[in-house]
């Protein structure tokens, strides 16, 4: 059965390999980093490891089934996702679980699993934008028919996410701008989108419920030497973890900062990896994400259809920007945010949606491979004389 599944796994083999490698590393990092959390909860570390393993296996299964579906079907699915996403984001803001003045999560009944609605929103907006830009290519310069519907969807989703999760909203907005550039939107219109986004950003910062948190985090980042030790605690502990890791690290399971970092299994998992695996491990992680981005760019450039190229570009840029944002925060190159490291941080639904995104990218890759296979078959039949040469 396993051999049958593997034989049906198509698409870029390097992406499959890198995703599996990151998943294995994730298991090691989560098992090492959840000891303190397990102690506080009065449970065994194995409980968190098993739950994480279930999510990883579930994610790989979703990735497999997502890549089997022809990527063109995601154009229709994107409309349904957008219809569901907007009211769900509104529901989350009003009735979601409130943590640190941010309502980002909704608890799924029966299974009691938290669900971050921005994960669904990212997938929905990117697929929907790819569809809109593809469908409206012949009218792409028309402000009323093409530009306004696109900017309204982008602006609405941005505000609904940014009210509680500004960092995720800003990254998604940046990916949207990249898609607009690839989709041949004029420079003047892109400038208008950026201005519109900047106005929305100022509104969220100065009118939103987390304005004090934003000001504090930026102040700590810009003036760490003057910052309140309590407010700079996370960033300082991450720096200690990185500094004590050295070149080869302390070894798997030997982290000491996992007992001090507030979220060593999610937001600061990269700092823990460097502490245990050293600079070698940290550079290795960066290389894996760069390799993922490179393989995805090859898929974008090889895709014969605009929708496939836009879909692969949007999803790959979104995941790559998120990964490098997480790592930048861990090493002190940016203010603290709550962005997880894709496929590595412990999480529930974020792993599942990340896996679906890679499955869609692999679906585009599979389509490219199948078309090349058919072209080669035709060429071979011409060579042997089965088909007359033109």
């Amino acid at each position: 059965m396993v051999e049958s599944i593997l034989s049906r796994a198509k698409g870029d083999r390097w992406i499959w390999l890198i995703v599996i490698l990151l998943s294995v590393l994730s298991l090691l990092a989560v098992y090492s980093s959840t000891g303190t959390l397990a102690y506080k909860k009065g449970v065994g570390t194995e409980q968190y490891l098993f739950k994480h393993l279930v999510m990883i296996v579930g994610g790989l299964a979703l990735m497999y089934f997502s890549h089997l579906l022809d990527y063109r079907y995601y154009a229709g699915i994107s409309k349904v996702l957008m219809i569901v996403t907007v009211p769900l984001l509104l529901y989350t803001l009003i009735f979601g679980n409130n943590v640190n003045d941010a309502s980002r999560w909704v608890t799924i009944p029966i299974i009691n699993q938290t669900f971050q609605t921005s994960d669904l929103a990212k997938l929905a907006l990117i697929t929907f934008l790819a569809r809109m830009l593809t469908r409206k290519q012949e009218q792409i310069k028309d402000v009323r028919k093409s530009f306004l519907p696109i900017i309204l969807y982008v602006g609405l989703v941005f505000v609904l996410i940014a009210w509680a999760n500004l960092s995720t909203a800003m990254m998604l907005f940046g990916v949207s701008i990249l898609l607009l550039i690839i989709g041949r939107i004029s420079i003047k219109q892109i400038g208008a989108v950026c201005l519109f986004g900047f106005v929305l950003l100022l509104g969220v910062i100065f009118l939103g419920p987390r304005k004090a948190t934003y000001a504090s985090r930026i102040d700590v980042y810009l003036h760490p030497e003057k910052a309140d030790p309590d407010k700079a605690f996370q960033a300082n502990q991450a720096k200690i973890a990185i500094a004590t890791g050295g070149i080869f690290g302390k070894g798997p399971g030997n982290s000491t900062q996992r007992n001090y970092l507030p979220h060593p299994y999610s937001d600061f998992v990269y700092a823990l990896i460097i502490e245990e695996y050293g600079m070698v491990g940290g550079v290795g992680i960066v290389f894996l994400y760069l390799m993922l981005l490179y393989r995805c760019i090859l898929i974008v450039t090889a895709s014969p259809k605009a929708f496939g190229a836009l879909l692969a570009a949007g999803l790959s840029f979104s995941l790559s920007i998120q990964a490098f944002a997480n790592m930048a925060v861990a090493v002190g190159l940016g203010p603290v945010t709550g962005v997880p490291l894709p496929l590595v941080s412990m999480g529930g639904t974020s792993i599942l949606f990340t896996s679906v995104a890679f499955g869609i990218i692999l679906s585009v890759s599979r389509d490219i491979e199948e078309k090349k296979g058919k072209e080669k078959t035709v060429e071979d039949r011409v060579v042997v004389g089965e088909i007359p040469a033109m």
Side-chain angles (χ1 to χ4, degrees):
M1 180 179 177
V2 175
E3 291 181 0
S4 175
I5 293 174
L6 291 175
S7 65
R8 294 187 64 191
K10 306 297 182 182
D12 194 297
R13 293 293 188 271
W14 281 102
I15 293 180
W16 281 106
L17 177 61
I18 293 170
V19 167
I20 292 171
L21 284 174
L22 288 173
S23 298
V24 172
L25 182 61
S26 175
L27 286 171
L28 295 173
V30 167
Y31 184 63
S32 174
S33 61
T34 51
T36 303
L37 178 64
Y39 176 77
K40 290 179 180 178
K41 298 287 185 179
V43 297
T45 308
E46 292 77 12
Q47 181 174 322
Y48 288 100
L49 178 64
F50 179 74
K51 183 180 178 181
H52 189 60
L53 176 62
V54 169
M55 285 297 174
I56 286 178
V57 172
L60 290 174
L62 282 174
M63 182 174 164
Y64 175 75
F65 288 114
S66 298
H67 105 288
L68 292 180
L69 182 64
D70 191 315
Y71 74 88
R72 285 178 283 266
Y73 285 110
Y74 290 105
I77 294 172
S78 68
K79 294 189 293 183
V80 179
L81 288 179
M82 282 302 294
I83 292 172
V84 173
T85 293
V86 173
L88 190 57
L89 287 171
L90 278 170
Y91 176 85
T92 304
L93 286 177
I94 300 170
F95 303 107
N97 300 338
N98 192 290
V99 180
N100 295 328
D101 298 320
S103 296
R104 304 178 186 177
W105 297 270
V106 173
T107 302
I108 302 173
I110 302 174
I111 63 174
N112 199 33
Q113 173 68 50
T114 56
F115 164 55
Q116 192 162 341
T117 50
S118 60
D119 292 328
L120 174 63
K122 285 189 290 185
L123 190 62
L125 183 61
I126 290 170
T127 53
F128 189 73
L129 267 181
R131 175 183 177 275
M132 292 272 286
L133 290 169
T134 304
R135 294 286 178 89
K136 297 182 179 294
Q137 274 300 300
E138 295 187 6
Q139 303 172 319
I140 202 68
K141 306 298 182 184
D142 191 309
V143 173
R144 186 176 61 84
K145 293 182 178 179
S146 300
F147 178 67
L148 284 180
I150 289 172
I151 193 174
L152 286 175
Y153 278 113
V154 172
L156 180 60
V157 174
F158 173 81
V159 169
L160 290 176
I161 296 177
W163 203 254
N165 193 349
L166 184 59
S167 55
T168 297
M170 290 178 65
M171 286 186 284
L172 184 56
F173 188 82
V175 172
S176 300
I177 295 297
L178 288 173
L179 281 179
L180 294 181
I181 294 171
I182 298 171
R184 300 193 307 114
I185 295 289
S186 69
I187 297 298
K188 186 184 295 185
Q189 290 177 341
I190 290 174
V193 175
C194 292
L195 180 61
F196 179 61
F198 182 69
V199 172
L200 292 178
L201 176 63
L202 291 179
V204 170
I205 291 175
F206 291 108
L207 301 177
R210 309 194 71 209
K211 55 185 177 182
T213 302
Y214 301 144
S216 173
R217 288 181 175 179
I218 293 173
D219 184 61
V220 169
Y221 172 67
L222 294 177
H223 308 288
E225 71 286 350
K226 300 177 182 178
D228 184 337
D230 291 335
K231 294 180 179 179
F233 183 77
Q234 296 182 82
N236 289 338
Q237 295 304 315
K239 291 173 184 176
I240 293 171
I242 292 168
T244 56
I247 296 178
F248 299 104
K250 300 176 179 177
N254 292 326
S255 168
T256 53
Q257 294 310 115
R258 63 186 173 186
N259 300 317
Y260 302 99
L261 275 168
H263 302 286
Y265 43 82
S266 56
D267 298 352
F268 288 95
V269 70
Y270 186 63
L272 178 130
I273 289 172
I274 295 178
E275 183 184 8
E276 293 192 345
Y277 300 92
M279 187 174 68
V280 173
V283 172
I285 292 288
V286 172
F287 174 77
L288 288 177
Y289 282 111
L290 286 174
M291 189 66 177
L292 265 179
L293 180 60
Y294 171 70
R295 300 305 302 182
C296 290
I297 289 173
L298 291 181
I299 294 171
V300 172
T301 55
S303 178
K305 301 291 184 180
F307 179 65
L310 288 168
L311 200 57
L315 293 173
S316 59
F317 287 150
S318 173
L319 295 169
S320 300
I321 290 171
Q322 180 180 329
F324 290 112
N326 174 280
M327 291 186 284
V329 168
V331 299
L333 294 178
V336 173
T337 63
V339 178
L341 189 60
L343 297 173
V344 178
S345 293
M346 185 177 78
T349 52
S350 63
I351 292 176
L352 302 182
F353 283 110
T354 299
S355 300
V356 170
F358 276 116
I360 296 172
I361 294 170
L362 286 168
S363 177
V364 179
S365 175
R366 181 175 66 88
D367 183 73
I368 295 169
E369 287 184 355
E370 288 176 352
K371 282 183 169 57
K372 286 182 178 179
K374 289 178 181 177
E375 290 173 1
K376 190 174 188 312
T377 300
V378 171
E379 290 176 2
D380 292 342
R381 292 177 68 188
V382 169
V383 170
V384 298
E386 292 182 23
I387 298 176
M390 298 299 290

mmCIF file of all heavy atoms in Angstrom, residues 137-167:
data_model
loop_
_atom_site.group_PDB
_atom_site.id
_atom_site.type_symbol
_atom_site.label_atom_id
_atom_site.label_comp_id
_atom_site.label_asym_id
_atom_site.label_seq_id
_atom_site.Cartn_x
_atom_site.Cartn_y
_atom_site.Cartn_z
ATOM 1 N N GLN A 137 -7.501 39.199 -17.445
ATOM 2 C CA GLN A 137 -6.299 39.647 -18.137
ATOM 3 C C GLN A 137 -6.603 40.578 -19.317
ATOM 4 O O GLN A 137 -5.884 41.544 -19.566
ATOM 5 C CB GLN A 137 -5.489 38.447 -18.626
ATOM 6 C CG GLN A 137 -4.536 37.885 -17.597
ATOM 7 C CD GLN A 137 -3.507 38.884 -17.117
ATOM 8 O OE1 GLN A 137 -2.721 39.411 -17.901
ATOM 9 N NE2 GLN A 137 -3.515 39.179 -15.817
ATOM 10 N N GLU A 138 -7.687 40.301 -20.041
ATOM 11 C CA GLU A 138 -8.013 41.133 -21.196
ATOM 12 C C GLU A 138 -8.575 42.496 -20.777
ATOM 13 O O GLU A 138 -8.595 43.426 -21.575
ATOM 14 C CB GLU A 138 -9.003 40.405 -22.103
ATOM 15 C CG GLU A 138 -8.408 39.141 -22.731
ATOM 16 C CD GLU A 138 -9.347 38.521 -23.749
ATOM 17 O OE1 GLU A 138 -10.393 39.124 -24.036
ATOM 18 O OE2 GLU A 138 -9.005 37.439 -24.262
ATOM 19 N N GLN A 139 -9.055 42.587 -19.537
ATOM 20 C CA GLN A 139 -9.594 43.860 -19.031
ATOM 21 C C GLN A 139 -8.773 44.375 -17.854
ATOM 22 O O GLN A 139 -9.268 45.130 -17.022
ATOM 23 C CB GLN A 139 -11.050 43.667 -18.581
ATOM 24 C CG GLN A 139 -11.968 43.127 -19.668
ATOM 25 C CD GLN A 139 -13.335 42.780 -19.110
ATOM 26 O OE1 GLN A 139 -13.461 42.220 -18.014
ATOM 27 N NE2 GLN A 139 -14.384 43.135 -19.854
ATOM 28 N N ILE A 140 -7.513 43.965 -17.808
ATOM 29 C CA ILE A 140 -6.704 44.207 -16.619
ATOM 30 C C ILE A 140 -6.479 45.701 -16.354
ATOM 31 O O ILE A 140 -6.252 46.113 -15.222
ATOM 32 C CB ILE A 140 -5.343 43.480 -16.747
ATOM 33 C CG1 ILE A 140 -4.734 43.252 -15.358
ATOM 34 C CG2 ILE A 140 -4.385 44.225 -17.652
ATOM 35 C CD1 ILE A 140 -5.470 42.292 -14.514
ATOM 36 N N LYS A 141 -6.563 46.538 -17.386
ATOM 37 C CA LYS A 141 -6.369 47.984 -17.208
ATOM 38 C C LYS A 141 -7.668 48.712 -16.869
ATOM 39 O O LYS A 141 -7.646 49.905 -16.557
ATOM 40 C CB LYS A 141 -5.772 48.598 -18.485
ATOM 41 C CG LYS A 141 -4.493 47.936 -18.987
ATOM 42 C CD LYS A 141 -3.355 48.028 -17.987
ATOM 43 C CE LYS A 141 -2.074 47.389 -18.558
ATOM 44 N NZ LYS A 141 -0.981 47.383 -17.579
ATOM 45 N N ASP A 142 -8.785 47.995 -16.930
ATOM 46 C CA ASP A 142 -10.077 48.602 -16.650
ATOM 47 C C ASP A 142 -10.255 48.767 -15.138
ATOM 48 O O ASP A 142 -10.314 47.785 -14.400
ATOM 49 C CB ASP A 142 -11.197 47.732 -17.223
ATOM 50 C CG ASP A 142 -12.550 48.436 -17.197
ATOM 51 O OD1 ASP A 142 -12.934 48.942 -16.132
ATOM 52 O OD2 ASP A 142 -13.218 48.462 -18.248
ATOM 53 N N VAL A 143 -10.342 50.014 -14.686
ATOM 54 C CA VAL A 143 -10.396 50.293 -13.253
ATOM 55 C C VAL A 143 -11.664 49.728 -12.623
ATOM 56 O O VAL A 143 -11.629 49.081 -11.569
ATOM 57 C CB VAL A 143 -10.307 51.817 -12.995
ATOM 58 C CG1 VAL A 143 -10.528 52.126 -11.513
ATOM 59 C CG2 VAL A 143 -8.953 52.343 -13.445
ATOM 60 N N ARG A 144 -12.805 49.951 -13.255
ATOM 61 C CA ARG A 144 -14.080 49.555 -12.664
ATOM 62 C C ARG A 144 -14.293 48.046 -12.690
ATOM 63 O O ARG A 144 -14.753 47.459 -11.712
ATOM 64 C CB ARG A 144 -15.232 50.249 -13.393
ATOM 65 C CG ARG A 144 -16.603 50.009 -12.769
ATOM 66 C CD ARG A 144 -17.673 50.802 -13.480
ATOM 67 N NE ARG A 144 -17.781 50.411 -14.870
ATOM 68 C CZ ARG A 144 -18.511 49.361 -15.294
ATOM 69 N NH1 ARG A 144 -19.162 48.621 -14.432
ATOM 70 N NH2 ARG A 144 -18.571 49.078 -16.577
ATOM 71 N N LYS A 145 -13.945 47.396 -13.793
ATOM 72 C CA LYS A 145 -14.235 45.971 -13.941
ATOM 73 C C LYS A 145 -13.174 45.064 -13.315
ATOM 74 O O LYS A 145 -13.476 43.951 -12.903
ATOM 75 C CB LYS A 145 -14.393 45.614 -15.423
ATOM 76 C CG LYS A 145 -15.620 46.242 -16.071
ATOM 77 C CD LYS A 145 -15.742 45.799 -17.524
ATOM 78 C CE LYS A 145 -16.988 46.386 -18.175
ATOM 79 N NZ LYS A 145 -17.115 45.975 -19.594
ATOM 80 N N SER A 146 -11.954 45.537 -13.269
ATOM 81 C CA SER A 146 -10.871 44.675 -12.776
ATOM 82 C C SER A 146 -10.225 45.187 -11.489
ATOM 83 O O SER A 146 -10.111 44.471 -10.499
ATOM 84 C CB SER A 146 -9.791 44.524 -13.862
ATOM 85 O OG SER A 146 -10.328 43.940 -15.022
ATOM 86 N N PHE A 147 -9.804 46.440 -11.510
ATOM 87 C CA PHE A 147 -9.004 46.966 -10.414
ATOM 88 C C PHE A 147 -9.794 47.103 -9.116
ATOM 89 O O PHE A 147 -9.362 46.649 -8.060
ATOM 90 C CB PHE A 147 -8.407 48.311 -10.825
ATOM 91 C CG PHE A 147 -7.587 48.965 -9.744
ATOM 92 C CD1 PHE A 147 -6.396 48.398 -9.325
ATOM 93 C CD2 PHE A 147 -8.007 50.141 -9.148
ATOM 94 C CE1 PHE A 147 -5.634 48.997 -8.339
ATOM 95 C CE2 PHE A 147 -7.259 50.747 -8.160
ATOM 96 C CZ PHE A 147 -6.070 50.170 -7.756
ATOM 97 N N LEU A 148 -10.958 47.715 -9.167
ATOM 98 C CA LEU A 148 -11.734 47.953 -7.950
ATOM 99 C C LEU A 148 -12.160 46.668 -7.239
ATOM 100 O O LEU A 148 -12.026 46.571 -6.011
ATOM 101 C CB LEU A 148 -12.956 48.827 -8.259
ATOM 102 C CG LEU A 148 -12.672 50.321 -8.474
ATOM 103 C CD1 LEU A 148 -13.958 51.072 -8.774
ATOM 104 C CD2 LEU A 148 -11.980 50.926 -7.260
ATOM 105 N N PRO A 149 -12.686 45.649 -7.964
ATOM 106 C CA PRO A 149 -13.037 44.400 -7.259
ATOM 107 C C PRO A 149 -11.839 43.765 -6.566
ATOM 108 O O PRO A 149 -11.958 43.258 -5.440
ATOM 109 C CB PRO A 149 -13.557 43.496 -8.392
ATOM 110 C CG PRO A 149 -14.020 44.432 -9.447
ATOM 111 C CD PRO A 149 -13.092 45.595 -9.389
ATOM 112 N N ILE A 150 -10.677 43.821 -7.205
ATOM 113 C CA ILE A 150 -9.476 43.219 -6.622
ATOM 114 C C ILE A 150 -9.053 43.961 -5.365
ATOM 115 O O ILE A 150 -8.799 43.366 -4.313
ATOM 116 C CB ILE A 150 -8.333 43.194 -7.667
ATOM 117 C CG1 ILE A 150 -8.638 42.169 -8.769
ATOM 118 C CG2 ILE A 150 -7.000 42.853 -6.990
ATOM 119 C CD1 ILE A 150 -7.663 42.208 -9.925
ATOM 120 N N ILE A 151 -8.969 45.299 -5.443
ATOM 121 C CA ILE A 151 -8.498 46.078 -4.301
ATOM 122 C C ILE A 151 -9.471 46.002 -3.132
ATOM 123 O O ILE A 151 -9.072 46.025 -1.956
ATOM 124 C CB ILE A 151 -8.241 47.550 -4.712
ATOM 125 C CG1 ILE A 151 -7.461 48.272 -3.606
ATOM 126 C CG2 ILE A 151 -9.542 48.285 -4.980
ATOM 127 C CD1 ILE A 151 -7.048 49.674 -3.970
ATOM 128 N N LEU A 152 -10.768 45.888 -3.408
ATOM 129 C CA LEU A 152 -11.757 45.791 -2.334
ATOM 130 C C LEU A 152 -11.612 44.486 -1.561
ATOM 131 O O LEU A 152 -11.682 44.467 -0.328
ATOM 132 C CB LEU A 152 -13.168 45.924 -2.910
ATOM 133 C CG LEU A 152 -13.575 47.344 -3.352
ATOM 134 C CD1 LEU A 152 -14.951 47.324 -4.006
ATOM 135 C CD2 LEU A 152 -13.552 48.305 -2.184
ATOM 136 N N TYR A 153 -11.401 43.379 -2.276
ATOM 137 C CA TYR A 153 -11.205 42.087 -1.609
ATOM 138 C C TYR A 153 -9.923 42.097 -0.777
ATOM 139 O O TYR A 153 -9.909 41.643 0.376
ATOM 140 C CB TYR A 153 -11.155 40.955 -2.636
ATOM 141 C CG TYR A 153 -12.507 40.480 -3.086
ATOM 142 C CD1 TYR A 153 -12.932 40.680 -4.397
ATOM 143 C CD2 TYR A 153 -13.371 39.818 -2.204
ATOM 144 C CE1 TYR A 153 -14.189 40.239 -4.817
ATOM 145 C CE2 TYR A 153 -14.618 39.383 -2.620
ATOM 146 C CZ TYR A 153 -15.022 39.591 -3.926
ATOM 147 O OH TYR A 153 -16.256 39.155 -4.333
ATOM 148 N N VAL A 154 -8.835 42.619 -1.357
ATOM 149 C CA VAL A 154 -7.557 42.675 -0.645
ATOM 150 C C VAL A 154 -7.683 43.543 0.610
ATOM 151 O O VAL A 154 -7.239 43.163 1.701
ATOM 152 C CB VAL A 154 -6.438 43.216 -1.558
ATOM 153 C CG1 VAL A 154 -5.153 43.457 -0.762
ATOM 154 C CG2 VAL A 154 -6.161 42.239 -2.697
ATOM 155 N N GLY A 155 -8.303 44.723 0.462
ATOM 156 C CA GLY A 155 -8.449 45.633 1.587
ATOM 157 C C GLY A 155 -9.314 45.072 2.699
ATOM 158 O O GLY A 155 -8.998 45.207 3.884
ATOM 159 N N LEU A 156 -10.413 44.409 2.320
ATOM 160 C CA LEU A 156 -11.329 43.849 3.320
ATOM 161 C C LEU A 156 -10.651 42.756 4.146
ATOM 162 O O LEU A 156 -10.713 42.766 5.387
ATOM 163 C CB LEU A 156 -12.568 43.290 2.619
ATOM 164 C CG LEU A 156 -13.642 42.655 3.517
ATOM 165 C CD1 LEU A 156 -14.179 43.669 4.524
ATOM 166 C CD2 LEU A 156 -14.770 42.073 2.677
ATOM 167 N N VAL A 157 -9.988 41.831 3.470
ATOM 168 C CA VAL A 157 -9.312 40.737 4.181
ATOM 169 C C VAL A 157 -8.162 41.285 5.025
ATOM 170 O O VAL A 157 -7.934 40.836 6.157
ATOM 171 C CB VAL A 157 -8.802 39.672 3.180
ATOM 172 C CG1 VAL A 157 -7.964 38.617 3.904
ATOM 173 C CG2 VAL A 157 -9.975 39.000 2.476
ATOM 174 N N PHE A 158 -7.449 42.278 4.495
ATOM 175 C CA PHE A 158 -6.332 42.878 5.236
ATOM 176 C C PHE A 158 -6.807 43.457 6.566
ATOM 177 O O PHE A 158 -6.217 43.206 7.620
ATOM 178 C CB PHE A 158 -5.674 43.964 4.387
ATOM 179 C CG PHE A 158 -4.625 44.762 5.128
ATOM 180 C CD1 PHE A 158 -3.343 44.256 5.291
ATOM 181 C CD2 PHE A 158 -4.915 46.015 5.666
ATOM 182 C CE1 PHE A 158 -2.374 44.973 5.984
ATOM 183 C CE2 PHE A 158 -3.974 46.742 6.349
ATOM 184 C CZ PHE A 158 -2.692 46.221 6.504
ATOM 185 N N VAL A 159 -7.870 44.243 6.532
ATOM 186 C CA VAL A 159 -8.371 44.882 7.756
ATOM 187 C C VAL A 159 -8.864 43.847 8.755
ATOM 188 O O VAL A 159 -8.572 43.930 9.957
ATOM 189 C CB VAL A 159 -9.496 45.882 7.413
ATOM 190 C CG1 VAL A 159 -10.208 46.339 8.681
ATOM 191 C CG2 VAL A 159 -8.927 47.082 6.687
ATOM 192 N N LEU A 160 -9.603 42.842 8.281
ATOM 193 C CA LEU A 160 -10.168 41.840 9.185
ATOM 194 C C LEU A 160 -9.078 41.015 9.876
ATOM 195 O O LEU A 160 -9.235 40.603 11.026
ATOM 196 C CB LEU A 160 -11.118 40.919 8.415
ATOM 197 C CG LEU A 160 -12.434 41.566 7.948
ATOM 198 C CD1 LEU A 160 -13.236 40.579 7.105
ATOM 199 C CD2 LEU A 160 -13.258 42.049 9.131
ATOM 200 N N ILE A 161 -7.972 40.773 9.170
ATOM 201 C CA ILE A 161 -6.858 40.038 9.792
ATOM 202 C C ILE A 161 -6.021 40.969 10.653
ATOM 203 O O ILE A 161 -5.636 40.634 11.776
ATOM 204 C CB ILE A 161 -5.975 39.368 8.715
ATOM 205 C CG1 ILE A 161 -6.759 38.300 7.945
ATOM 206 C CG2 ILE A 161 -4.746 38.719 9.361
ATOM 207 C CD1 ILE A 161 -5.974 37.655 6.825
ATOM 208 N N ALA A 162 -5.740 42.171 10.134
ATOM 209 C CA ALA A 162 -4.824 43.102 10.811
ATOM 210 C C ALA A 162 -5.347 43.566 12.155
ATOM 211 O O ALA A 162 -4.555 43.892 13.043
ATOM 212 C CB ALA A 162 -4.561 44.314 9.921
ATOM 213 N N TRP A 163 -6.649 43.589 12.345
ATOM 214 C CA TRP A 163 -7.214 44.072 13.611
ATOM 215 C C TRP A 163 -6.690 43.269 14.799
ATOM 216 O O TRP A 163 -6.529 43.799 15.893
ATOM 217 C CB TRP A 163 -8.731 43.999 13.541
ATOM 218 C CG TRP A 163 -9.415 44.931 14.492
ATOM 219 C CD1 TRP A 163 -10.064 44.605 15.647
ATOM 220 C CD2 TRP A 163 -9.526 46.351 14.369
ATOM 221 N NE1 TRP A 163 -10.567 45.727 16.248
ATOM 222 C CE2 TRP A 163 -10.255 46.825 15.489
ATOM 223 C CE3 TRP A 163 -9.072 47.282 13.421
ATOM 224 C CZ2 TRP A 163 -10.537 48.173 15.680
ATOM 225 C CZ3 TRP A 163 -9.358 48.623 13.612
ATOM 226 C CH2 TRP A 163 -10.076 49.053 14.729
ATOM 227 N N ALA A 164 -6.403 41.965 14.553
ATOM 228 C CA ALA A 164 -5.890 41.129 15.638
ATOM 229 C C ALA A 164 -4.511 40.548 15.350
ATOM 230 O O ALA A 164 -3.835 40.091 16.263
ATOM 231 C CB ALA A 164 -6.872 39.976 15.920
ATOM 232 N N ASN A 165 -4.089 40.566 14.076
ATOM 233 C CA ASN A 165 -2.838 39.905 13.691
ATOM 234 C C ASN A 165 -2.164 40.720 12.594
ATOM 235 O O ASN A 165 -2.210 40.362 11.417
ATOM 236 C CB ASN A 165 -3.133 38.473 13.219
ATOM 237 C CG ASN A 165 -1.880 37.629 13.114
ATOM 238 O OD1 ASN A 165 -0.759 38.140 13.194
ATOM 239 N ND2 ASN A 165 -2.053 36.344 12.925
ATOM 240 N N LEU A 166 -1.549 41.832 12.994
ATOM 241 C CA LEU A 166 -1.008 42.782 12.025
ATOM 242 C C LEU A 166 0.124 42.197 11.190
ATOM 243 O O LEU A 166 0.202 42.436 9.983
ATOM 244 C CB LEU A 166 -0.518 44.035 12.756
ATOM 245 C CG LEU A 166 0.003 45.169 11.867
ATOM 246 C CD1 LEU A 166 -1.065 45.646 10.905
ATOM 247 C CD2 LEU A 166 0.507 46.330 12.732
ATOM 248 N N SER A 167 1.017 41.430 11.814
ATOM 249 C CA SER A 167 2.165 40.890 11.082
ATOM 250 C C SER A 167 1.718 39.964 9.948
ATOM 251 O O SER A 167 2.229 40.056 8.826
ATOM 252 C CB SER A 167 3.092 40.137 12.039
ATOM 253 O OG SER A 167 2.379 39.138 12.750
#
